[in-house]
């Protein structure tokens, strides 16, 4: 997985170039609190959040809670390492650019 910074506003750019692909990201939480994981852009995405320190069962899933067709998960997280899986809503033919960010 690619490491994501926990920042206020900066989104990490990404591009799903192959239909059916899942992008995997990892970020660390140092301090308990409410965090927001979201994508930005015009691409219709879904997202799953795993953790802390577990990649077996998602603790949250989202499709369109963010702006337009973007997923957004807002939840209280404890210290640990978290994984985020992002994929296009249309797994058979969907591709496109997006940005992903984690903030609190």
């Amino acid at each position: 997985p690619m490491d994501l910074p926990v920042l206020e506003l900066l989104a990490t750019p990404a591009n799903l170039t192959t239909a059916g692909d899942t992008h995997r990201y990892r970020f660390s939480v140092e301090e308990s609190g409410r965090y927001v994981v979201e994508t930005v852009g015009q691409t219709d995405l879904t997202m799953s959040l795993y953790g802390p320190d577990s990649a077996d069962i998602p603790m949250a899933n989202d499709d369109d809670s963010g702006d337009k067709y973007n997923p957004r998960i807002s939840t209280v997280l404890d210290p640990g390492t978290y994984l985020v899986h992002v994929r296009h809503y249309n797994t058979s033919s969907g591709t496109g650019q997006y940005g992903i960010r984690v903030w609190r």
Side-chain angles (χ1 to χ4, degrees):
M2 180 177 159
D3 288 324
L4 278 178
V6 178
L7 296 172
E8 290 293 327
L9 299 173
L10 187 63
T12 299
N15 188 7
L16 281 168
T17 57
T18 305
D21 272 2
T22 298
H23 284 180
R24 292 169 177 84
Y25 300 94
R26 174 179 48 226
F27 68 95
S28 294
V29 168
E30 307 278 327
E31 183 179 325
S32 294
R34 179 163 295 279
Y35 290 80
V36 176
V37 184
E38 66 184 352
T39 65
V40 295
Q42 302 298 314
T43 304
D44 190 0
L45 302 167
T46 64
M47 179 169 55
S48 299
L49 176 64
Y50 298 82
D53 305 313
S54 170
D56 295 331
I57 300 171
M59 61 183 291
N61 294 295
D62 192 66
D63 184 5
D64 293 335
S65 293
D67 186 41
K68 298 182 180 159
Y69 297 109
N70 286 283
R72 181 179 197 265
I73 296 172
S74 175
T75 190
V76 174
L77 300 179
D78 291 323
T81 301
Y82 293 83
L83 298 174
V84 181
H85 292 184
V86 176
R87 62 183 215 177
H88 198 283
Y89 177 78
N90 181 343
T91 57
S92 62
S93 64
T95 60
Q97 296 180 348
Y98 67 96
I100 182 169
R101 63 184 170 206
V102 180
W103 56 277
R104 62 175 306 208

